[in-house]
Amino acid sequence: MACIAERLLGAHADLQVIALAGRDEAALAALKQLAARYPGRLSPQPHTDTIERLMASADIVVTKPGGLTTSEALALGLPMIVIAPIPGQEEHNANFLLERGAALKAFDLLTLEYRIGHLLAHPARLAEMRAIAQALGKPAAASEVLATILKQVK
């Protein structure tokens, strides 16, 4: 993760990165060391229960396309760059996002660097991806599911 952050920060002077290390203390320590070299541009974060707040401050999310992350990003209308999907559900999620235009895929660090640079240089494309993500998002999904269940038990 620190390698990815360093590569992106080195390639794009106007980029700010929020990097989530989860419960990986070694990754968090490496990110904190790196943050000292990029003051105000890298914000390393440990595990959080408020991911939606961090996502709400982002223009793009670089992530594996897991179900919860994908759902959160779409609910917020957040374009994605997907990396390293696990065969099965993550692959299906990635294909769904790619086919509809809400995400791009990065196969390696060079591709990731290019994709970020391209989106930063083409704000209209980023806005188009955001609109697609918003259209696909279902921010009220939990309430709708609950209402459906309650109707069935009455």
Side-chain angles (χ1 to χ4, degrees), residues 56-67:
S57 69
D59 294 315
I60 306 166
V61 63
V62 177
T63 186
K64 292 174 61 55

Side-chain angles (χ1 to χ4, degrees), residues 34-105:
L34 183 60
R37 293 186 12 225
Y38 293 94
R41 295 187 54 215
L42 175 59
S43 177
Q45 300 292 317
H47 173 76
T48 180
D49 292 328
T50 57
I51 188 71
E52 71 282 357
R53 291 180 186 173
L54 295 173
M55 283 185 166
S57 69
D59 294 315
I60 306 166
V61 63
V62 177
T63 186
K64 292 174 61 55
L68 290 176
T69 304
T70 299
S71 297
E72 288 279 358
L74 290 176
L76 292 167
L78 188 56
M80 290 169 259
I81 298 178
V82 296
I83 55 173
I86 295 171
Q89 189 60 50
E90 286 189 6
E91 234 172 27
H92 295 303
N93 292 346
N95 290 339
F96 174 85
L97 297 167
L98 295 167
E99 289 168 2
R100 282 155 182 82
L104 300 173
K105 187 173 184 180

Side-chain angles (χ1 to χ4, degrees), residues 62 81-85 104-109 111-113 115:
V62 177
I81 298 178
V82 296
I83 55 173
L104 300 173
K105 187 173 184 180
F107 299 94
D108 54 28
L109 278 175
T111 308
L112 177 60
E113 184 181 321
R115 300 269 193 234

Side-chain angles (χ1 to χ4, degrees), residues 7-8 10-12 106 108-119:
R7 179 86 177 243
L8 293 176
H12 306 288
D108 54 28
L109 278 175
L110 184 62
T111 308
L112 177 60
E113 184 181 321
Y114 171 80
R115 300 269 193 234
I116 295 284
H118 181 79
L119 290 174

